[in-house]
Amino acid sequence: MARSLDPTKALHTWSLFRTMGRFVAPGSAPSGVLTENDGAEGLPLLELPGQLAAHGFTSAQLCHFYLPRTETSYLAEVRDAFDTAGVDLECFLVDDGDVTHPERGEEQQRWLSGWIDVAEQLGAPRVRVPAGDQPPTEQTIALSARRLRELAADHPDIRVITENWKSLLVDADTTRDLLDRLEGEIGLLIDTGNWTGPDKYEQIAAVAGGAECSQVKARESAPGVLDAEDLTRCLTVLRDVGYAGRISYVYAGTDDDEWGRLEQMHEIAGTVTG
């Protein structure tokens, strides 16, 4: 099943949170998981694609909360900025919302649907939404499956995917259960940093082969020291299970030089991708 990893230089734009001035748009984080911030000293979004290209990136996953506005004219400017820079918008990432919430689930579904509209206007081929932020039970898994399928049905012109993430998809068994219920109507983004524990790599391997996108996360083994061993093992797992999508880097360390750390990640990835 092993196959060569895609050599495209790609990233998840969360990696540049400090570079973007920690910008979080008003109204983009209803759960409070992120604090709204005007990002006054950061890189403006319309300049991001050019900077990505200047650092050799040709593919990006864009966080929804980086959008200061969502009117059609501004979204057209963002789309044009990516096109002009030659950076492919692989996936638009909606980083909030809980369709399994016992009181606000329907409201959250509508909120997510609005962001999927934004993804479509940006020209992204995929949009990632959370599967749910409640503990996995028969009820919450079934509810997630129903509401995710409804979102996909309401937006047939874009591929809706979810991620092994938040309180619902806590392990491979739960993730496979949900995906089985979705019967291919929703895809999977595998994040190598979302599961921990002694069986982390086995858990990733159990679902990664069928994933469409990835977020390969690099944390630190000590302050200021990139955990190269974990990064290499995660990349090796993806290669060995036949993962066919792009490798989108996620720098999750403490160094303000995010571009430099991303380049270090790319160098490490080169030892696995060949």
Side-chain angles (χ1 to χ4, degrees):
M1 293 178 62
R3 62 184 298 159
S4 298
L5 294 175
D6 189 327
T8 302
K9 193 174 182 182
L11 88 166
H12 172 2
T13 53
W14 171 254
S15 303
L16 299 171
F17 191 55
R18 285 178 286 257
T19 299
M20 301 292 286
R22 296 180 169 82
F23 178 77
V24 176
S28 63
S31 73
V33 67
L34 293 171
T35 302
E36 293 181 8
N37 188 334
D38 66 9
E41 303 301 318
L43 181 72
L45 177 58
L46 291 176
E47 296 179 19
L48 174 62
Q51 285 298 305
L52 290 171
H55 287 86
F57 288 96
T58 58
S59 177
Q61 298 177 1
L62 179 63
C63 302
H64 84 285
F65 55 81
Y66 284 151
L67 289 169
R69 306 190 303 279
T70 57
E71 66 267 22
T72 298
S73 60
Y74 180 74
L75 296 178
E77 289 186 70
V78 174
R79 182 171 182 168
D80 182 66
F82 276 93
D83 289 344
T84 300
V87 178
D88 178 56
L89 187 55
E90 181 194 22
C91 187
F92 185 69
L93 306 169
V94 188
D95 284 300
D96 211 319
D98 178 12
V99 296
T100 60
H101 193 280
E103 288 86 34
R104 299 194 300 276
E106 288 188 32
E107 170 194 320
Q108 293 285 284
Q109 182 179 344
R110 291 191 296 271
W111 184 85
L112 286 168
S113 185
W115 281 106
I116 298 175
D117 288 338
V118 169
E120 292 178 298
Q121 291 183 68
L122 290 172
R126 299 178 188 86
V127 58
R128 189 270 279 130
V129 298
D133 204 15
Q134 306 302 313
T137 64
E138 170 60 31
Q139 181 181 15
T140 55
I141 296 169
L143 183 60
S144 174
R146 176 171 65 82
R147 287 183 169 156
L148 289 177
R149 294 179 89 156
E150 289 172 354
L151 284 171
D154 288 342
H155 299 274
D157 295 329
I158 190 169
R159 176 66 166 165
V160 179
I161 63 177
T162 193
E163 180 181 335
N164 60 313
W165 185 39
K166 295 189 179 288
S167 298
L168 185 70
L169 300 186
V170 293
D171 56 28
D173 285 345
T174 307
T175 301
R176 286 187 297 195
D177 184 1
L178 178 65
L179 292 174
D180 287 346
R181 298 175 193 233
L182 292 167
E183 299 180 310
E185 293 182 32
I186 303 289
L188 177 67
L189 183 156
I190 181 70
D191 186 314
T192 65
N194 286 351
W195 291 337
T196 59
D199 63 346
K200 165 184 173 175
Y201 305 106
E202 290 80 5
Q203 292 279 322
I204 294 170
V207 297
E212 300 177 21
C213 298
S214 74
Q215 292 171 359
V216 179
K217 193 165 289 174
R219 294 194 173 96
E220 294 176 333
S221 56
V225 180
L226 204 67
D227 192 342
E229 179 181 356
D230 177 70
L231 176 57
T232 300
R233 287 193 66 181
C234 288
L235 288 165
T236 301
V237 167
L238 296 185
R239 182 195 66 193
D240 290 350
V241 301
Y243 168 71
R246 293 176 186 169
I247 300 299
S248 290
Y249 306 138
V250 187
Y251 174 59
T254 60
D255 194 338
D256 287 343
D257 181 15
E258 293 167 319
W259 292 116
R261 291 304 193 178
L262 286 164
E263 193 59 39
Q264 184 183 0
M265 289 182 68
H266 187 57
E267 291 171 2
I268 293 168
T271 67
V272 180
T273 59

